[in-house]
């Protein structure tokens, strides 16, 4: 299977743990995308795998205490960045407008965005998942010139819960995302994220329209991540 594996480490791992993480991933020779905390981006750089940030700010520089710009990330040769992760949207109140500004800045700085989209439980219960996902995509992708971009479908109710949509629901949503995003750019690859684990990664990746996975919790143990890579790479 020729699938993309990205690991979102979120706000986890100590300095010693991240050094150990790096060694295990390098030794595995798996060409994954690792998204560590910003403070570890530099030491996590490697020619064995790719690196991504978990977010970035859309202004290039200035009085924005605590923020890191895509321009700064580019100056460190960071290749990818998550944009609009559900934890940014729901814990830090990022709306579609801010996500669109971030996506634009990310692309202008030649960093490949991994645009995260997905509905909440309530939105799915009300059968609004397709509408919400379309709004998130249209808002982010209109009015910008797209280069490389990945989209990650991450239903909010599946992140960190151990609950995943049915294989049919994943397939239908991925088809839909490809259809909607095709209006902006052809053949955008779509990853699935949300409780991807060793025991479901193969079934998820067997779905033709799933181009890869974005893994959170199950990627925190590097050996676990390598085992998951071995199942599908
Ligand atoms: P999870 O997180 O794998 O722990 O559900 C996925 C994500 O937030 O990207």
């Amino acid at each position: 299977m020729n699938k993309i594996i990205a690991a979102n480490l979120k706000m986890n791992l100590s300095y010693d743990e991240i050094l150990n993480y790096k060694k295990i991933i390098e030794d595995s020779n798996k060409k994954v995308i690792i998204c560590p905390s910003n403070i570890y981006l530099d030491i996590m750089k490697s020619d064995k795998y790719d690196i991504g940030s978990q977010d970035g700010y859309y202004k290039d520089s200035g009085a924005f205490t605590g923020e890191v710009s895509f321009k700064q990330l580019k100056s460190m040769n960071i290749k990818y960045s998550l944009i609009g992760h559900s934890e940014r949207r729901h814990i830090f109140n990022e709306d579609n407008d801010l996500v669109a500004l971030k996506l634009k800045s990310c692309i202008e700085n030649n960093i490949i965005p991994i645009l995260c989209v997905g509905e909440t439980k309530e939105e799915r219960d009300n059968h609004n998942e397709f509408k919400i996902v379309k709004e998130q995509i249209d808002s982010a992708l209109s009015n910008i010139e797209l280069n490389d971009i990945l989209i990650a479908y991450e239903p909010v109710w599946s992140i960190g819960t151990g609950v995943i949509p049915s294989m049919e629901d994943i397939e239908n949503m991925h088809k839909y995302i490809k259809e909607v995003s095709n209006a902006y750019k052809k053949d955008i690859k779509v990853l699935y994220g949300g409780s991807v684990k060793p025991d479901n990664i193969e079934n998820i990746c067997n779905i033709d329209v799933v181009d890869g996975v974005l893994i959170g919790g199950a990627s925190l143990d590097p050996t676990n991540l390598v085992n998951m890579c071995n199942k599908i790479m």
Side-chain angles (χ1 to χ4, degrees):
M1 273 190 241
N2 189 17
K3 306 276 175 169
I4 298 164
I5 296 195
N8 176 10
L9 304 185
K10 310 191 182 187
M11 196 178 71
N12 291 297
L13 305 181
S14 67
Y15 187 71
D16 288 347
E17 285 166 340
I18 206 82
L19 294 178
N20 178 52
Y21 197 101
K22 179 179 187 178
K23 189 175 176 317
I24 291 173
I25 303 299
E26 283 193 325
D27 288 350
S28 77
N29 270 317
K30 298 291 180 198
K31 191 82 177 150
V32 288
I33 304 169
I34 308 286
C35 303
S37 295
N38 281 345
I39 48 167
Y40 301 141
L41 282 171
D42 205 32
I43 53 160
M44 279 296 281
K45 273 195 221 156
S46 170
D47 52 13
K48 296 279 179 65
Y49 56 82
D50 286 319
I51 197 101
S53 63
Q54 298 173 9
D55 187 29
Y57 197 53
Y58 71 96
K59 299 275 190 184
D60 284 347
S61 60
F64 303 101
T65 302
E67 293 295 321
V68 170
S69 72
F70 291 107
K71 192 173 179 198
Q72 290 175 307
L73 293 166
K74 186 62 199 175
S75 75
M76 291 175 64
N77 277 324
I78 302 306
K79 186 166 175 187
Y80 292 91
S81 181
L82 303 180
I83 307 273
H85 186 275
S86 83
E87 284 144 24
R88 300 301 317 171
R89 292 179 189 265
H90 296 286
I91 301 173
F92 299 99
N93 298 322
E94 293 192 7
D95 60 13
N96 280 342
D97 291 346
L98 181 56
V99 171
L101 288 170
K102 289 185 170 195
L103 190 88
K104 185 164 184 285
S105 174
C106 182
I107 288 172
E108 283 171 358
N109 283 289
N110 289 314
I111 295 173
I112 302 171
I114 304 174
L115 173 68
C116 302
V117 298
E119 80 287 356
T120 62
K121 173 89 171 58
E122 194 186 347
E123 287 159 352
R124 179 164 280 258
D125 288 347
N126 293 329
H127 309 291
N128 280 330
E129 66 271 27
F130 291 101
K131 177 175 164 281
I132 291 295
V133 166
K134 183 175 187 327
E135 277 169 12
Q136 291 170 336
I137 294 172
D138 285 339
S139 157
L141 301 195
S142 48
N143 304 320
I144 47 168
E145 197 154 322
L146 288 173
N147 299 325
D148 276 351
I149 177 169
L150 300 171
I151 295 178
Y153 170 55
E154 298 205 301
V156 180
W157 50 275
S158 176
I159 295 177
T161 60
V163 184
I164 61 167
S166 69
M167 296 300 128
E168 195 188 350
D169 283 345
I170 294 177
E171 181 171 11
N172 287 340
M173 183 57 89
H174 276 239
K175 279 187 183 154
Y176 183 70
I177 290 173
K178 282 171 184 272
E179 197 183 297
V180 172
S181 62
N182 204 44
Y184 302 99
K185 188 174 190 291
K186 293 224 171 326
D187 301 326
I188 293 181
K189 289 196 171 16
V190 183
L191 315 182
Y192 170 78
S195 295
V196 176
K197 302 258 187 295
D199 63 1
N200 60 25
I201 189 166
E202 276 170 291
N203 283 346
I204 293 170
C205 286
N206 273 330
I207 303 171
D208 207 38
V209 285
V210 171
D211 298 304
V213 284
L214 175 55
I215 312 172
S219 72
L220 294 183
D221 175 345
T223 309
N224 211 26
L225 179 61
V226 172
N227 288 341
M228 285 193 282
C229 292
N230 284 335
K231 287 177 187 259
I232 62 158
M233 280 176 146

